[in-house]
Amino acid sequence: MGKDSRLILDPLADNNPITIQVLGICSALAITAELEASIVMSISVLFVLGIGNVVISLMRNIIPSKIRIIVQLIVVATLVIIVDLVLKAFAYELSKTLSVFVGLIITNCIIMGRFEAFALGNSPWRSFLDGIGNALGYGVILIIVGFFRELLGSGTLLGIPVLGDPIEKTGLYAFGYENNGFMLLSPMALIVVGIIIWVQRSRNKALIED
Amino acid sequence: MEHLELFFKSIFIDNMVFATFLGMCSYLAVSKKVSTAVGLGAAVIFVLAITVPLNWLLDQYILQPGALSWLGEDYASYDLSFLSFIMFIATIATMVQLVEIVVEKFSPSLYNSLGIFLPLIAVNCAILGGSLFMQSREIETLGLALNYGIGSGIGWFLAILAIAAIREKIRYSNVPPALRGLGITFIITGLMAIGFMSFGGMLTGGDEEAKSEDKSAVIEVIKEDIKKEEAKLKSDLEIAENTNK
């Protein structure tokens, strides 16, 4: 059991897919201007990676290794189409915000990376745990970045104003606080992730690169 | 004129790496040396120039709502657009395989320089992203689609070339240990992206803004926050300088 729980816990911090393995950066940066979009993206990846890992793991003995990339892509693409259709049906506005980035889950390197590195060589149950763990590790970073960008950029969380009203000057704004609109622009996502990496590696010296 | 505009727009303003963060994984992983970065960049231009027009044809004649009408009246009401992800990725994966075989056969020297990067490209988000943006921006003709593919490829090439050159030089600077490698690369990319945002002013004439909604939203924000931006930029540069010291 201890071994199985490590599959979930490791990717959350010391083997995080984004900050340590450097996989799946693209979507992590592009859609994190709002917390809600980050959460939905994390859930979508959780679904695709959890199920996809099980499917690949079940088929691992019958996939010829020469065409495995195409097989993997087809499996992911099918799951992503399901996610896309569900989002369009139940959260249309949000699916507009995410636009092409739902489709880009297909080429999210986390997914291919875990298929190659784990699901092709392990039993379905362990692959499932690994998928969930890595998707959670991805989600944690996305949610941290989304939290700070939305809080500092527009003073809201999940669309609810938490710092007062910027126009009527209530709450923090009464003291002259202003929203930093710059946080909403894409380059700040990179810098926020850079700072997260900085903090993480200062706390755990073993992760420092030469 | 339309061609020229789209070409510059896809290289600078909608730069794959700096504006939409596509292909970041290989951008970060393969940018340690200029020579390998050039190889991968060239392969990306090549594959984008082939797959974007192909996927444009696929989109126009098979996937769009009503696209099947060339088969006859009965098919005019079909809408296969939900299949676009799977069709695009299948096209890309096959084309990459095909290109690899053809290049290996006819130009072994090119194969040796591009060879190892070609399989990597099938799962590079920049390639699929190129096709998906081509679809969502409703590019009108095959020529423009080809133009868009090449332009985006060149934009990606410039980005990876620039970061590889910076990373080669940064080895001689004294970066704080915890920021070394990945961390500083992220922050440099962020600063470069801020620089590339200034290209947004190049084509702000009239209907260009109306065409792409998200771009005009970004421009709005830029106008509003231009002062804050400058202040922030200065402090960011100071931080970067201090960290370099």
Side-chain angles (χ1 to χ4, degrees), chain A residues 19 26 104 109 179 182 186 208, chain B residues 21-22 25 125 177 182 228-229:
Chain A
T19 59
C26 331
L104 288 173
C109 331
N179 283 330
F182 200 54
S186 39
I208 292 174
Chain B
F21 302 120
L22 295 180
C25 309
C125 356
L182 193 57
K228 272 181 241 165
E229 233 182 271

Side-chain angles (χ1 to χ4, degrees), chain B residues 149-203:
Chain B
I150 296 176
S152 316
I154 294 177
W156 202 88
F157 177 84
L158 285 180
I160 196 168
L161 190 63
I163 194 75
I166 294 177
R167 282 181 83 171
E168 276 194 357
K169 290 285 172 205
I170 211 159
R171 233 175 283 151
Y172 307 110
S173 342
N174 190 9
V175 180
L179 260 181
R180 258 173 224 161
L182 193 57
I184 195 72
T185 313
F186 266 97
I187 290 176
I188 293 170
T189 311
L191 293 174
M192 282 161 76
I194 294 170
F196 262 70
M197 280 176 61
S198 59
F199 287 117
M202 253 176 24
L203 296 173

Side-chain angles (χ1 to χ4, degrees), chain A residues 64-82:
Chain A
S65 71
K66 274 197 167 170
I67 57 156
R68 65 178 193 286
I69 302 269
I70 295 188
V71 174
Q72 288 164 1
L73 283 173
I74 299 295
V75 170
V76 194
T78 317
L79 290 167
V80 169
I81 289 175
I82 297 174

Side-chain angles (χ1 to χ4, degrees), chain A residues 7 25 50 66 92 103 135 165 189:
Chain A
L7 286 177
I25 314 281
K66 274 197 167 170
Y92 188 70
D165 191 325

